[in-house]
Amino acid sequence: MGGSSTPSSTNSVTDLKSLADKIREEIRRTAPNHLASLPKSISGLHAEAARSLPPTSLISPQTDEDKATLLRIKTAIVALRALCQTKINAYPFSSVPLPFLQLHTHVWILSALHKYTSSRYDMDVIDRSSYSEYETNVPFDTIIFDIDTALIIGGSSIPLQLRRLVNEFLEALYAAEEELDVDSSNCNSADQTLISSIKRFNHFCAPEYKELIDTIYLPSLYARIPTLASPTIPSFDAYMDQNLLKSASLQPVHLTGLAVTWPAFKTWNSPSYLLSVTNNGRRVVPVEIGKSYVSDSWTQEFRKFGSLLHDWLQNDSQPDRALPTTYLAQHDLLLQVDPLRADILMPDLIHSATFARRETSTTKMTLINAWVGPAGTISPLHTDPHDNILVQVVGYKYVRLYPAAVSKEKMYPRGIENQIGIDVDMGNTSAVELERGCFGALFGDTDVLDLRTSVSVIHDKRKAKKENEFEGDKFARLRERMLDKKKYRDEYEDFLWDGEFLDCILAPGDGLFIPAGWWHYVKSLSQSFTVSFWF
């Protein structure tokens, strides 16, 4: 749609200009403290990249002086981006020096602001349809990519004031996009097709999964984790005190109904809602590719959230499609996407007397991470140095726990491993792959050979095969799998295959307290949205 800007769009554009200036000012204000340990040459490039734009640079045609200024800013940003990539890739991520993380945050935000200026979002263009970037949606998506990259890599190291300004800028950008008719009439047709496809689904996790969980998987639990229903601080403390009389250390407990009052309990199972809080799925998130992070083919990349959501829904409804397993794992999505953070409540159990007197905590603040993905994703057997309340918001997960007191040798910890040229200590992760040696329905030893196929059959009885069809072939495959598992067990003969563990299935609204140091294995039994609280 052509035409000049309306008064409301002019207001949005004014907001964008003002916010962009405030962000640059905030970056310049905090740079001396954040970047003090970096060489002066880097500080000089940073000052050039963060400089204010001359007022006349937003007027067309630009003067030669303004063009030269914009070119110097762009050159500084490009140089700093390359430097940040080199430095961050030289370390395991947890060991990247804080000044380089903060430099990376500044540079990617400044890059987004520069692209915003260059894309003419803030100009009163008479005929916007003449600009190809509006037709292909490229400027918006590249601006979002740079901002999300800054938020993802910077994480909790980003100061609250800068994060607040960036979130306000994103909101103003969305408003300007709608008011200038950028997203509806000129949106990328592939994006529109994807959005329409997602909105055909009423649920992220199909209701039919409950029947499968109740009839197949719950009966196969081996040693259920003790349960505390609808916990409050007094009931939780009383329960834990009673258990401490029997054991000298904190024990796990399955907290049923913990999160049923969260807004997320009602909204996160809606694909349309998840689209709405991620700007029609165009927010960018980090994703793992592969069933678990110890798989040989495992890798990582950035993807649009809508693209992931589409794949997860399609993969569940069409199980014959061989899509790679993708998993948004251990990412602070709720810090990156503000509306999602408003949908949860911090479990008040974290402030109970039980934890106030403990000596195991290694964190000064609660670390919140999200885990979103399809059925079949696995967090291999591992241990963490934090107490953890794991909350299942959407879908179902199987969890198996081994006590921290178990001999480490029996858990077969992995050692130092080379990942993309960097030595990484994997000693907190077991070399044992439970799914290759454990028996039972939860590990594939059942007539239900494929969870997603089973759900689609339950969903549409007309697709059900005749009883006993392929029965001989089915049991031949089952026998072969059993023999393979027995052989795998022999490789790890000291592992506690059949004892000293507890397990449970987390249903929507459930929580699970996992004490620090306990080994845990987690498997998604359906599409799943989980939040963990390390404290």
Side-chain angles (χ1 to χ4, degrees), residues 7 61 66 205 228 265 267 275 301 308 312 352 355 370 390 399 405 434 470 474 515 521 529:
D66 290 340
C205 175
L228 181 63
F265 183 71
T267 56
L275 282 177
E301 66 180 26
L308 289 171
W312 294 331
S352 69
F355 300 125
L390 188 68
V399 184
L434 292 188
F470 308 127
K474 176 175 63 180
Y521 165 93
F529 204 140

Side-chain angles (χ1 to χ4, degrees), residues 189-256:
S189 60
D191 282 348
Q192 289 285 24
T193 301
L194 182 142
I195 291 167
S196 299
S197 178
I198 291 173
K199 288 184 175 180
R200 289 191 291 105
F201 292 88
N202 294 321
H203 305 92
F204 177 40
C205 175
E208 290 77 21
Y209 274 105
K210 187 177 188 308
E211 180 180 346
L212 198 63
I213 299 298
D214 290 346
T215 58
I216 301 295
Y217 294 107
L218 277 174
S220 67
L221 290 176
Y222 187 87
R224 297 195 182 199
I225 297 170
T227 298
L228 181 63
S230 304
T232 62
I233 288 181
S235 68
F236 181 77
D237 280 337
Y239 176 87
M240 299 302 280
D241 285 345
Q242 185 178 10
N243 277 272
L244 284 171
L245 295 175
K246 306 173 187 177
S247 172
S249 60
L250 295 177
Q251 300 295 301
V253 57
H254 184 178
L255 306 164
T256 59

Side-chain angles (χ1 to χ4, degrees), residues 166-427:
V166 168
N167 283 325
E168 288 180 11
F169 179 84
L170 283 173
E171 291 174 9
L173 191 63
Y174 299 156
E177 184 191 36
E178 291 176 358
E179 291 164 3
L180 298 174
D181 298 313
V182 175
D183 73 330
S184 57
S185 59
N186 297 316
C187 185
N188 187 310
S189 60
D191 282 348
Q192 289 285 24
T193 301
L194 182 142
I195 291 167
S196 299
S197 178
I198 291 173
K199 288 184 175 180
R200 289 191 291 105
F201 292 88
N202 294 321
H203 305 92
F204 177 40
C205 175
E208 290 77 21
Y209 274 105
K210 187 177 188 308
E211 180 180 346
L212 198 63
I213 299 298
D214 290 346
T215 58
I216 301 295
Y217 294 107
L218 277 174
S220 67
L221 290 176
Y222 187 87
R224 297 195 182 199
I225 297 170
T227 298
L228 181 63
S230 304
T232 62
I233 288 181
S235 68
F236 181 77
D237 280 337
Y239 176 87
M240 299 302 280
D241 285 345
Q242 185 178 10
N243 277 272
L244 284 171
L245 295 175
K246 306 173 187 177
S247 172
S249 60
L250 295 177
Q251 300 295 301
V253 57
H254 184 178
L255 306 164
T256 59
L258 177 68
V260 294
T261 59
W262 288 9
F265 183 71
K266 297 179 179 178
T267 56
W268 286 7
N269 198 28
S270 165
S272 294
Y273 178 78
L274 295 178
L275 282 177
S276 72
V277 295
T278 55
N279 192 247
N280 279 333
R282 288 151 74 187
R283 295 297 299 271
V284 175
V285 294
V287 62
E288 299 181 358
I289 301 174
K291 282 203 169 183
S292 84
Y293 63 78
V294 295
S295 301
D296 290 339
S297 59
W298 181 87
T299 187
Q300 293 175 292
E301 66 180 26
F302 284 179
R303 291 269 302 274
K304 289 183 182 179
F305 185 82
S307 171
L308 289 171
L309 185 58
H310 177 265
D311 285 356
W312 294 331
L313 292 168
Q314 293 293 334
N315 207 28
D316 190 64
S317 63
Q318 302 175 33
D320 293 335
R321 299 177 73 209
L323 292 174
T325 300
T326 51
Y327 195 20
L328 191 160
Q330 197 175 325
H331 170 53
D332 198 346
L333 181 67
L334 281 60
L335 189 63
Q336 181 189 351
V337 181
D338 264 4
L340 292 176
R341 179 64 182 86
D343 287 339
I344 71 163
L345 303 174
M346 186 76 73
D348 55 4
L349 302 184
I350 290 173
H351 306 293
S352 69
T354 296
F355 300 125
R357 58 177 177 256
R358 69 193 163 153
E359 298 178 357
T360 57
S361 178
T362 60
T363 61
K364 296 181 180 179
M365 59 182 291
T366 301
L367 304 176
I368 305 174
N369 283 305
W371 314 72
V372 194
T377 55
I378 291 170
S379 292
L381 191 61
H382 68 286
T383 181
D384 295 312
H386 317 284
D387 287 325
N388 181 9
I389 293 180
L390 188 68
V391 180
Q392 191 65 22
V393 184
V394 177
Y396 301 84
K397 275 186 172 174
Y398 170 72
V399 184
R400 177 179 288 200
L401 302 177
Y402 289 86
V406 169
S407 168
K408 199 169 185 179
E409 289 71 25
K410 290 185 177 181
M411 303 308 289
Y412 292 90
R414 304 168 80 101
I416 303 296
E417 298 182 4
N418 189 275
Q419 298 181 359
I420 59 173
I422 299 173
D423 288 338
V424 178
D425 185 358
M426 297 287 287

